[in-house]
Amino acid sequence: MRRQWINRCKNAGFEENEAAAEVDFAIEIICGLSKEDLLKGKTICGADKEKIDKIIAERLKTRRPLAQILGCAFFGGKKFKVNEHTLIPRPETELLVQKSLELIKKYNYKQVLDIGTGSGCIACMIALDSDAQVLGVDISTGALRCALDNAMGMGLMNRALFRKSNLFSNIQEKFDLIVSNPPYIPLSEKENLQIEVRDFDPATALFTEDEKGIEFYEKIIKIAPSHLNNGGSIAFELGIGQFDDVSRLFNANGFIDIEIYKDLSGIERVITAKYP
């Protein structure tokens, strides 16, 4: 059945590796079986075959992302709930978590703010893998409910907290580290995106009004100094080609020790900077 489902996806225009990844994800979530389990001879029961058939049919008919259909996605090796209000976690964002954790360890940071928390995946992974307490904020009530469910499911209720806030609008505290994967796609590029992203990811998590996609970096960097403890840092995920502009914003607002990190595709994906 696995090969049949993969072929259905390929016939609908998916590449082989993409089709296999989608099918394996559906099998793992519905059946609890990995690809290795299937190779060892474990089988999918009839009821689960029917469920997966329906899921794949919906995926191919609507192009709705599989994570939204199934209501979950993997991030950092953990399963997170997602919904129509949350950005589906991407593998490249794991680099942002990794570099944030390195900063926390290096400077013994204890208080972290995650702006635009969405599903809470960044906040939860930082809280899970460090001694820091993380406050995740978002403008979407639906996203915050999802983030809270994820924190509860991972036993992080006193470690990962959530609050409704438009950037810093409902924030009075100071933090050692501010981390964010903000919207960074100019609205003018919307029609060039994949259907799965353009039509199903929440627009508020994707798009900016400016042509360079740096609107939210600028807003955060300008206000951040009043919400950072002495020696605090910022860590951002970047869109393609945004390093120079964001670096200039950091320099113009008094930040130092600006570092850039490339993802596995060689794209300048994460930038960090320290406030003296």
Side-chain angles (χ1 to χ4, degrees):
M1 284 303 298
R2 177 179 179 270
R3 173 43 60 181
Q4 292 178 26
W5 290 323
I6 291 173
N7 288 339
R8 280 174 64 187
C9 293
K10 286 176 63 180
N11 292 337
F14 289 79
E15 297 292 332
E16 170 77 27
N17 290 342
E18 184 183 10
E22 296 251 334
V23 169
D24 290 340
F25 178 52
I27 292 172
E28 183 166 0
I29 296 302
I30 298 300
C31 312
L33 298 175
S34 67
K35 181 181 176 181
E36 290 71 26
D37 290 329
L38 297 178
L39 291 173
K40 291 176 182 177
K42 293 186 178 181
T43 59
I44 302 170
C45 71
D48 285 343
K49 286 180 182 178
E50 187 175 338
K51 287 180 184 177
I52 295 171
D53 266 330
K54 290 180 179 178
I55 286 165
I56 290 176
E58 181 181 351
R59 173 75 174 103
L60 299 182
K61 180 180 179 181
T62 66
R63 296 295 296 271
R64 186 182 177 199
L66 198 58
Q68 282 192 6
I69 295 172
L70 293 168
C72 63
F74 285 106
F75 182 77
K78 303 293 183 181
K79 187 168 74 172
F80 285 86
K81 289 184 178 181
V82 297
N83 59 31
E84 68 274 18
H85 306 289
T86 65
L87 192 69
I88 296 169
R90 268 68 168 180
E92 54 264 31
T93 304
E94 293 179 19
L95 181 62
L96 177 62
V97 172
Q98 176 191 331
K99 295 305 173 182
S100 297
L101 288 168
E102 289 176 7
L103 288 170
I104 290 168
K105 183 177 181 180
K106 181 177 181 179
Y107 297 113
N108 195 30
Y109 289 156
K110 296 298 184 183
Q111 297 295 326
V112 179
L113 175 66
D114 174 25
I115 296 178
T117 196
S119 65
C121 62
I122 294 172
C124 287
M125 291 305 297
I126 290 175
L128 189 68
D129 292 332
S130 75
D131 293 328
Q133 183 182 70
V134 189
L135 173 63
V137 298
D138 206 289
I139 61 172
S140 167
T141 301
L144 289 167
R145 289 195 184 111
C146 185
L148 186 59
D149 284 344
N150 283 321
M152 290 176 65
M154 298 174 75
L156 296 170
M157 286 307 297
N158 294 320
R159 302 282 311 289
L161 310 173
F162 300 96
R163 183 186 304 168
K164 190 167 186 176
S165 182
N166 183 358
L167 301 181
F168 296 100
S169 66
N170 194 28
I171 301 297
Q172 293 80 40
E173 305 96 320
K174 288 193 173 186
F175 300 86
D176 300 313
L177 173 65
I178 295 173
V179 59
S180 183
N181 176 19
Y184 54 65
I185 302 174
L187 193 57
S188 59
E189 295 182 12
K190 181 176 181 179
E191 295 308 313
N192 299 325
L193 299 175
Q194 287 182 314
I195 293 173
E196 287 86 345
V197 176
R198 184 190 70 208
D199 294 349
F200 294 98
D201 273 331
T204 53
L206 294 176
F207 299 114
T208 69
E209 297 289 341
D210 69 310
E211 283 302 312
K212 289 187 175 182
I214 62 170
E215 170 189 354
F216 288 95
Y217 300 112
E218 184 171 16
K219 289 178 178 178
I220 293 171
I221 290 170
K222 283 185 175 180
I223 302 174
S226 62
H227 290 280
L228 279 172
N229 291 320
N230 292 336
S233 297
I234 292 180
F236 285 130
E237 179 172 322
L238 296 174
I240 295 172
Q242 293 178 325
F243 166 68
D244 287 340
D245 287 316
V246 177
S247 181
R248 279 193 288 269
L249 287 170
F250 274 129
N251 279 317
N253 286 274
F255 285 81
I256 60 172
D257 297 343
I258 299 168
E259 301 283 351
I260 186 69
Y261 304 94
K262 294 181 179 181
D263 63 18
L264 294 176
S265 300
I267 295 169
E268 293 172 330
R269 184 61 68 184
V270 170
I271 188 170
T272 64
K274 198 165 185 282
Y275 198 71

